[in-house]
Amino acid sequence: MRKIEIVGYNRETLGTKSAKDLRNESLAPCVLYGGEKQIHFAVPMILFRELLYTPEVSEVILNIEGEIHHAIVQDSQFHPVSEVLLHVDFLEIVAGKEIKIDVPVKVIGDAPGVRKGGKMVQKLRKVSLKGLSDNIPDFIEADITGLDLGQTLKVAKLKAENVAILNNPSAPVATIDIPRALRGKINS
């Protein structure tokens, strides 16, 4: 996992009014949990750009007034209309404790079905993994090399070392759809 450092400031007061005041100052209210204690803090919203607006998985090094914590983003909330960042939850990474995280799926290979005129459709963009933070990969590769027209790659065929895939093994990852123009030629 790539690492990103974020600097935050402890919050003196909690509640809706103080959170609204923080947002007016372009600070996002945050909470860190999963460790010894919960820590409420605020971070400038601009620092979340390379963390939240990308499909990549990141380990966050939180520097909260000199205290260093390692965490992952557990949840983020946005305003439904203005899309302003409302709140971010961080899960602290504890040594020896497994974490659950969604990792992007990267499709590789050249399918014979695509060469015959089929269309590759990626049905699953992220896969849920469970494992130690050191073993979590940046992405999971889905190899479509053997797929022909109408065939599907399932989650069960994905390979991940030292981590468990939590998705349903029969869920489709990628399929090679048969275009309407080819359906008549194949059936006749």
Side-chain angles (χ1 to χ4, degrees):
M1 281 193 290
R2 68 185 182 132
K3 297 179 189 295
I4 295 177
E5 184 169 0
I6 289 183
V7 179
Y9 312 99
N10 281 319
R11 290 169 52 187
E12 291 85 34
T13 58
L14 303 176
T16 308
K17 185 177 182 326
S18 67
K20 196 171 186 179
D21 293 341
L22 286 171
R23 285 186 208 107
N24 287 338
E25 297 171 18
S26 294
L27 295 171
C30 304
V31 64
L32 172 69
Y33 53 81
E36 298 170 8
K37 60 181 187 221
Q38 276 192 4
I39 301 171
H40 296 273
F41 60 99
V43 174
M45 288 183 190
I46 195 76
L47 296 179
F48 287 106
R49 179 169 285 150
E50 62 187 47
L51 180 65
L52 295 179
Y53 300 104
T54 177
E56 297 174 10
V57 179
S58 303
E59 179 181 334
V60 182
I61 301 166
L62 290 170
N63 183 351
I64 305 168
E65 295 184 4
E67 254 184 78
I68 304 293
H69 300 277
H70 294 269
I72 58 169
V73 174
Q74 187 70 18
D75 187 32
S76 57
Q77 298 171 2
F78 293 89
H79 190 276
V81 176
S82 64
E83 295 186 7
V84 172
L85 184 62
L86 295 178
H87 186 80
V88 180
D89 290 343
F90 291 95
L91 178 66
E92 189 166 4
I93 296 174
V94 179
K97 188 176 177 185
E98 291 185 332
I99 59 171
K100 291 180 190 174
I101 192 165
D102 289 343
V103 175
V105 175
K106 183 178 181 182
V107 177
I108 60 167
D110 188 21
V114 174
R115 277 187 254 126
K116 292 177 184 174
K119 181 180 178 190
M120 194 281 295
V121 179
Q122 188 173 352
K123 303 276 188 181
L124 192 65
R125 302 247 177 237
K126 291 192 171 202
V127 176
S128 295
L129 299 180
K130 182 179 182 180
L132 298 175
S133 65
D134 296 336
N135 298 336
I136 302 288
D138 289 335
F139 55 86
I140 296 289
E141 288 185 348
D143 190 6
I144 61 166
T145 304
L147 294 184
D148 206 353
L149 289 170
Q151 291 185 324
T152 303
L153 177 71
K154 308 266 186 195
V155 171
K157 299 271 184 189
L158 298 179
K159 294 178 179 79
E161 295 180 18
N162 301 325
V163 292
I165 298 176
L166 300 176
N167 293 60
N168 184 352
S170 63
V173 176
T175 61
I176 307 298
D177 281 351
I178 304 169
R180 210 174 332 159
L182 285 178
R183 281 190 200 136
K185 294 177 184 177
I186 293 172
N187 292 339
S188 55

